[in-house]
Each structure stands twice: as C-alpha cells, then as structure tokens.
Amino acid sequence: MSAHGRGRPQQGKPVDGTGGAGGGFGLPAATALVVGSVIGTGVFALPSALAPYGPIALVAFVLVTIGALALAMVFGRLSQRVPGSGGPYVYAREAFGEFAGFLTAWSYWITAWAGNAAIAVAWVGYVEVFVNKGHHTWGSVGIALAGLWVPAIVNLTGVRNIGTFQVVTTVLKFLPLAFMATAGLLFVKAGNFGAFNASGGSALGAVSAAGAIALFSYIGLETASVAAGRVREPKRNVPRATVYGTLACAAIYLLGTLAVFGTVPYAQLGSSVAPFTDAMNNIAGGHWAGNLVAVAAIISGLGALNGWTLICAEMPMAAARDGLFPAAFTGTRGRSEVPVFGIVSATVLASVLTVVSYTSFTKVFTEIVLLSVLTAVVPYLVSAAAQLYWLVVRGRQELDRRRFVRDVTVALLALAFSYWSIQGSGYQTVYYGLFTILLGIPVYIWLKRPRAAASTGPAGTEPAVPAAAPLPKAAGPARPVGLPAILRRALTTRHQH
C-alpha cells in the first residue's frame, strides 16, 4: 500500500494478503508467537540478574505474574473491540487520539528493537558455552550480531516461514524449561538460596527493583494483538493466544526460576552467564546436561528474535499507514507483504545498541533490560487506560453488571501494575527512558507538517469554507471530541438559524 492510501486504521484487514483464511497464523501459531516472543533468552539469564536481591525476587516474580495476566486479559478484550494489526498503538489512537497513538507506537518501537539487543546479549552467554569461552568482547559482539541478523533474514522470506520457524523453536525451547520447572524442583537445596533479602535495602525497595527486571520476562505477551492482522479469526484467536501463552510462560517462569535459585549456590549465581546451564550441571553432574540446556537456550533466543523482528515492523507499519510514522515503514515486498524497511531498520538499530552496550555498559544485560521495560510499560499503561476509558464511557450500556465489574477490576489492576513497574525501574532508567520517548515529539511535528500545510492557503490563510457546510460524519471508530470542535459545532448550528 502506498503512502497516499493512509488515513484511518485498516482494522481487520490482514496484511499478509490472505484474507485471513489461508496464509495467516492459526491459534497454535499465534500462541507460539506469544510464547516464543515472551520466552526468549531473557528467562535463561534472568536468575543471575535477580540474584543480587536474593529469594525475595521470587516474591516480585509472583506479583509481576499477576500483573502480566491482568495485562493479557486487557489486551484480549481490546483486540475484540479494535481488530487489526497495531496492538497498543491502535488502542491508544482509538481512545485518546493521534498524538497518544504516536507516542505509544514510538515507545513500543523502541522497546522492540532495544529488547532485541537485550535478547541477543543474553543469547551470547549460552553460545559462549561452546565458543569464545574467554568472553572476548569483540567475539561476543560478532556472535550477537549473527543472532540479530539470522532471524531478520527468516522474516524477509515471508509470513509462512515466520510461523513455521516460531512453532518449531517454541517446542524445542519449552522441553528443557519444562524439565527444570518440574524435575528440577526435586534437587532444590535450602542452603543454596542465601539471605532472603540480599539487597541491603528495604523489602519493598527490593521487590520493586526486582519486579522491574522480572517484567522483562513478560514483554511480548501483547504480540498476538500487534500482529492481529496476520491472525485468522482474530476476534476469537488473539484473546485466546494472549491468555494461553501468558499462562504457559508464567508456570514455566515461576517454577523454573525457583529451581535455579535452589540448585545453584547463591555465591555462584550472581556471576553466572548461563544460570540454567549451571543448574543442569549441578543436577546431573558433568557438563553434558548443561550443554543440552545451552542448545535449547540458543534455539529459544533465535525463536524470540524471529518473533520480535516481525513485531519491530508490524506496529510502525500500522502507524505509518495512518500518517503517524515515516512513510518508508509502509513499504512491503512480495505476496506476503513483507515490511522490508521495518525489519532492516530495527535490526540495524539493535545492532548499533548491542555494539555500544558491549563497549560502554558495565552490566550489559541489566542496563538494556531496564530501558526496554520502561519503554514497554508506557504502551501497557496507555492500553490499560484505553480499556478503562471505554468501560467508563460505554461499558455500563454494553456489558452486564458482573462482566463490567470484572473488566474494571482487571483494567485497574493492569494500570496499577504499570505504574508500579515504572517506579521500580529506578531514577536513572526513568530519566533516560523518558528522554528517549520525548525525542519522538520532533518526529511527530515533522510528520504533521505536510497535513498542516495542506490545510492552509497560499498566503498562510485558512481556506474559505461555507459557514453552513455540514460537518462530515466521522469514519471509523468514535474519537474523543475536543473543546475547539464543540465550540465550532455550536457556532455552526447558530449560523444555520
């Protein structure tokens, strides 16, 4: 679709050209997209990142899981009301207008490619179980770049290959994690846990800080809604895939992390670059079992990067078709309408961030994770607010009392969880994250400039419009009406009489 066809969202239109019947994702592939995007290599590196807080981090993980399930239910409800690709972007635009939609898309886009850099960094730790065992910086950088570009190449071949790759890698990664979350619990030793709160600060502070890191594990639960235009029967399959995928990930995360904390001594866990590998080695003895987990983590990382590379292009493409992102993001190729520019540009940016991280950051994974979490929480917060806005305005009329109360409770929980996640990210992360998000404002002004110029005459005056001309009916979903529009309508009605 050309840039000239931009306007209101193309809701419900599959972008793969299949009409939603043949070549799109079914429920298994959509669920695999959620699970594959949520379970990357982050979960394999997470126990080490949480180790400085001690076992109290598991309490944070439980709270984050409850919040993540609330968000999953919110996204499921929103996807039923506002179908089509774009996820948080289209929900924000439908509820709060273009500027909110743009900032949401901009923030989420940063999350997507910055998150890919974090996944790649964690992925390197498991590749280096076999190669570059000395962890030489430029060797690690080369491995990370390979991990970013192989999934990009898969994405450039079309949506059918993306779905197949996602299902295969999800199954292969799930098996060792499921083993650790079940059989691994039999080898837990209390002496390995260390002090319950090892942070040296308050329990509340430790839970908040650990929760901000743990939230990274659930980023991606919304991916089925972002790619809804590529899902068959999206009103039915997207909510199911979102909730089923999040529940499956929650079970694996909580039990698997508990098993790692209990099988790897606390003093060793904090410095481990491959904690699940160390856990399996301690359980089975030797190195063969840990090597199998490392292979699973490598496959898992490729699967997550495959799904996230698609998401890096899907949301900006939806926003670009509405004129709220650069028109280059609308460019597609082939029958599957592969968004080439979105895929390549996001991978280039993730590659640059990866190189900078390895040469500048002391805690590479944790630093990128916190930035990704903050830029993800903003779209989550706006999406929860969009659901709450709809419930307040129209929910009482369209829902029975029981469902209305339940949906309001879930939306409020998701909203509170989002605020809590921002608070736990730390002052420095909030500062850099907010600065990065606000960098989008000049981009928004630049994008709006052609539209503003077209609405004025040659001398900069407003074009002549008959005072009695009737206002056109709004096309598409209803949008909030501002005070200037209300006054203009009132004056127009007065002149007609």
Side-chain angles (χ1 to χ4, degrees):
M1 181 178 181
S2 69
H4 301 292
R6 297 179 310 212
R8 51 191 279 264
Q10 297 185 349
Q11 297 170 357
K13 176 186 179 297
V15 292
D16 61 358
T18 66
F25 299 142
L27 180 59
T31 305
L33 178 63
V34 174
V35 175
S37 299
V38 171
I39 299 181
T41 45
V43 63
F44 290 95
L46 200 67
S48 297
L50 294 175
Y53 303 99
I56 197 172
L58 297 172
V59 177
F61 223 143
V62 171
L63 296 176
V64 168
T65 298
I66 295 171
L69 289 172
L71 282 170
M73 294 175 67
V74 165
F75 280 114
R77 290 279 182 259
L78 287 167
S79 67
Q80 290 176 324
R81 289 197 300 104
V82 191
S85 289
Y89 155 70
V90 294
Y91 309 147
R93 186 177 189 271
E94 188 262 353
F96 306 121
E98 288 189 346
F99 184 63
F102 167 78
L103 278 185
T104 299
W106 176 264
S107 182
Y108 192 86
W109 178 64
I110 293 170
T111 296
W113 57 260
N116 275 1
I119 293 170
V121 167
W123 183 77
V124 167
Y126 284 89
V127 175
E128 290 181 343
V129 170
F130 305 102
V131 298
N132 192 35
K133 296 182 180 180
H135 309 298
H136 301 294
T137 299
W138 288 106
S140 299
V141 170
I143 295 169
L145 293 179
L148 289 169
W149 284 97
V150 168
I153 292 170
V154 173
N155 269 260
L156 291 172
T157 63
V159 67
R160 189 180 298 275
N161 291 337
I162 297 171
T164 301
F165 190 85
Q166 201 67 20
V167 171
V168 172
T169 55
T170 297
V171 171
L172 290 176
K173 81 173 70 173
F174 213 74
L175 295 176
L177 288 171
F179 174 84
M180 183 61 70
T182 52
L185 295 173
L186 301 176
F187 298 88
V188 168
K189 296 179 180 178
N192 289 330
F193 285 100
F196 181 68
N197 180 8
S199 67
S202 68
L204 181 60
V207 169
S208 296
I213 297 174
L215 176 60
F216 179 75
S217 301
Y218 286 107
I219 292 178
L221 60 89
E222 73 291 337
T223 47
S225 68
V226 175
R230 297 185 184 271
V231 177
R232 297 194 294 271
E233 300 183 60
K235 288 189 176 182
R236 176 176 178 269
N237 286 334
V238 169
R240 290 185 176 187
T242 302
V243 175
Y244 294 167
T246 304
L247 283 171
C249 293
I252 291 295
Y253 277 167
L254 289 171
L255 298 177
T257 304
L258 175 63
V260 172
F261 264 80
T263 53
V264 180
Y266 174 77
Q268 178 188 350
L269 185 59
S271 59
S272 174
V273 296
F276 272 82
T277 290
D278 292 339
M280 284 296 292
N281 285 337
N282 290 345
I283 290 172
H287 296 283
W288 66 270
N291 289 346
L292 288 178
V293 174
V295 171
I298 292 169
I299 295 171
S300 176
L302 290 174
L305 288 166
N306 177 64
W308 273 107
T309 301
L310 171 67
I311 299 306
C312 282
E314 285 293 317
M315 181 174 288
M317 181 168 66
R321 285 176 168 173
D322 295 332
L324 295 179
F325 238 67
F329 284 94
T330 63
T332 59
R333 187 191 68 187
R335 291 183 60 189
S336 294
E337 297 190 31
V338 177
V340 177
F341 181 81
I343 292 170
V344 173
S345 62
T347 308
V348 168
L349 288 168
S351 300
V352 171
L353 180 58
T354 299
V355 173
V356 170
S357 300
Y358 270 107
T359 55
S360 303
F361 294 172
T362 54
K363 297 181 179 179
V364 182
F365 179 72
T366 304
E367 297 282 353
I368 304 178
V369 160
L370 288 174
L371 176 63
S372 301
V373 165
L374 183 71
T375 52
V377 167
V378 172
Y380 290 171
L381 190 152
V382 175
S383 297
Q387 171 70 348
L388 193 59
Y389 171 82
W390 180 83
L391 288 168
V392 170
V393 174
R394 298 179 58 183
R396 288 183 179 274
Q397 290 75 34
E398 299 188 15
L399 302 176
D400 61 67
R401 180 179 177 82
R402 183 178 178 182
R403 183 170 175 180
F404 174 78
V405 172
R406 182 187 64 187
D407 285 2
V408 167
T409 302
V410 170
L412 286 173
L413 180 60
L415 196 66
F417 170 68
S418 300
Y419 280 119
W420 176 67
S421 301
I422 292 174
Q423 180 270 332
S425 297
Y427 295 111
Q428 186 176 14
T429 303
V430 172
Y431 170 77
Y432 285 117
L434 182 61
F435 180 78
T436 304
I437 293 170
L438 294 181
L439 281 177
I441 293 179
V443 177
Y444 180 76
I445 295 171
W446 174 67
L447 290 168
K448 296 290 287 184
R449 181 176 52 83
R451 214 181 286 183
S455 65
T456 60
T461 58
E462 294 293 330
V465 179
L471 291 172
K473 293 183 179 179
R479 297 191 177 93
V481 180
L483 180 60
I486 294 173
L487 293 175
R488 185 170 64 251
R489 292 181 185 180
L491 292 173
T492 301
T493 305
R494 190 175 300 169
H495 285 307
Q496 286 175 333
H497 295 283

